[in-house]
Amino acid sequence: MSKLLKINRLVGLYLIFFSPLVITLLVWSSFISTPSGVPVPHFDSRIASFVWDVLGIHFMFWLVSLLYFFIMLVFHGALRDSVIAFAAGLNARDEREELIIGHASRASWLSSMALMIFLLLSSGLMIKITKFNGDKGQVEAKEKRGSVSIGYRFTLFDPPVKNKQVTKPTGEKTVFLFTGLPFSKNMILMFLLLWQLLSFKIFARKVASRC
Amino acid sequence: MGSLQSKLNIESHVHVFRAKKRITQQQLADAVGVTRATIVALEKGNYNPSLDLAFRIAMYFETDINELFSVKATDNE
């Protein structure tokens, strides 16, 4: 085992075994209310203040270690193989398990591709169904009862957030409006991660039951 | 026998040799370097082993590979 892999594994173990301290700090901080503009809470007890400081410093160190570990997961092949293979249950002990992993990986990859294509399409899709009320000035209202508009918007970058002023034409009522997926980027990425893990597990189990 | 392009149904006689030798599935698995689940799947006929594994099992039982595995029937029949 290389020295770098040993160090990275130690960092991984540190992250796992010291995570209760981080959770403790996060839970504790949720119960403390600090006045606005004051970042550090005030404690009457010196012990509580000391423990808070120690946990805070440890949290900073833990976060830096976590950042280092995630970067290493991307760039250090041996660590990636051992950690992610363990987390996903990709350990192939013999040729049959290699076969199962191969089939499950293929099925999981294809299902993830299908899901990502669906997400890409639905993220830019816009559907609007409106119904005309028949107010004055609405030419369409004389002949039509409503309208359906479908569009697609593809942008490489999110536009800066502005206070949008929506000018709504009078005399029409929006019955249905869909302007892309309502989920955040974090939510979509987390969903894709979980999909990868779960779909692999499900397909692996399915293949294993056949052979 | 049907066309050679159709899939062959390979019948395993590993369980017979194992019974003759009075060894467990785990013992056989350990001897040939696979998991017990692989031996179970192999004996049930759910899994066709690689040539490498088939020869290892044959060598373990000191027999010919044709004695361990035989072609039962094809899908076309």
Side-chain angles (χ1 to χ4, degrees):
Chain A
M1 197 187 297
S2 72
K3 201 174 179 181
L4 185 63
L5 185 61
K6 270 184 186 173
I7 293 167
N8 288 335
R9 279 194 171 176
L10 279 175
V11 173
L13 288 174
Y14 160 73
L15 287 170
I16 292 167
F17 288 113
F18 283 79
S19 59
L21 289 180
V22 176
I23 294 164
T24 307
L25 181 71
L26 294 176
V27 172
W28 190 6
S29 64
S30 68
F31 287 106
I32 296 169
S33 57
T34 53
S36 59
V38 182
V40 183
H42 175 74
F43 296 102
D44 293 330
S45 163
R46 282 185 68 187
I47 296 168
S49 178
F50 174 75
V51 172
W52 176 266
D53 287 345
V54 169
L55 287 178
I57 291 164
H58 171 260
F59 181 57
M60 281 196 298
F61 188 68
W62 192 87
L63 262 187
V64 172
S65 306
L66 186 70
L67 185 69
Y68 165 81
F69 192 74
F70 281 155
I71 291 168
M72 279 295 146
L73 268 186
V74 177
F75 295 108
H76 189 200
L79 179 76
R80 182 177 60 229
D81 287 357
S82 65
V83 172
I84 298 181
F86 174 75
L90 277 162
N91 291 314
R93 290 170 296 177
D94 64 8
E95 59 177 46
R96 181 178 150 273
E97 289 188 350
E98 277 173 9
L99 184 86
I100 292 168
I101 285 169
H103 281 284
S105 302
R106 182 181 177 275
S108 178
W109 188 82
L110 288 174
S111 74
S112 298
M113 281 296 285
L115 181 72
M116 282 193 275
I117 290 168
F118 169 75
L119 287 174
L120 178 68
L121 285 176
S122 53
S123 66
L125 191 69
M126 287 185 293
I127 302 171
K128 190 181 178 186
I129 302 171
T130 53
K131 191 180 174 186
F132 298 134
N133 291 334
D135 288 2
K136 287 176 183 177
Q138 287 290 316
V139 181
E140 294 91 340
K142 291 174 184 172
E143 295 161 0
K144 298 170 187 171
R145 285 188 298 172
S147 72
V148 177
S149 60
I150 299 173
Y152 190 80
R153 184 188 58 183
F154 179 81
T155 52
L156 288 176
F157 304 100
D158 277 337
V161 180
K162 287 177 184 172
N163 290 328
K164 287 181 185 172
Q165 267 199 327
V166 181
T167 51
K168 196 178 173 184
T170 55
E172 70 175 48
K173 184 186 168 192
T174 306
V175 180
F176 177 77
L177 180 67
F178 178 83
T179 53
L181 290 170
F183 309 115
S184 70
K185 288 172 205 157
N186 298 351
M187 172 83 173
I188 292 171
L189 286 171
M190 196 179 73
F191 178 67
L192 283 173
L193 261 175
L194 287 174
W195 179 269
Q196 279 269 303
L197 277 174
L198 283 176
S199 63
F200 176 80
K201 296 251 181 203
I202 291 164
F203 287 123
R205 194 165 285 188
K206 205 173 163 184
V207 177
S209 69
R210 285 204 306 263
C211 70
Chain B
M1 195 171 285
S3 164
L4 285 174
Q5 288 176 4
S6 60
K7 198 183 172 195
L8 296 173
N9 287 327
I10 296 168
E11 194 173 17
S12 163
H13 307 291
V14 172
H15 62 286
V16 178
F17 281 85
R18 196 171 54 76
K20 277 182 191 169
K21 206 165 181 176
R22 292 176 183 274
I23 56 160
T24 63
Q25 289 173 331
Q26 187 63 59
Q27 283 171 319
L28 176 61
D30 292 341
V32 295
V34 293
T35 59
R36 189 181 150 267
T38 299
I39 300 296
V40 172
L42 206 146
E43 288 188 357
K44 275 184 175 176
N46 293 339
Y47 173 66
N48 292 337
S50 66
L51 268 177
D52 181 79
L53 177 59
F55 273 108
R56 268 187 284 153
I57 296 170
M59 283 161 75
Y60 178 76
F61 287 122
E62 293 171 339
T63 185
D64 194 78
I65 200 164
N66 284 322
E67 299 291 321
L68 273 176
F69 302 100
S70 60
V71 177
K72 194 162 57 177
T74 58
D75 287 348
N76 287 5
E77 286 175 346

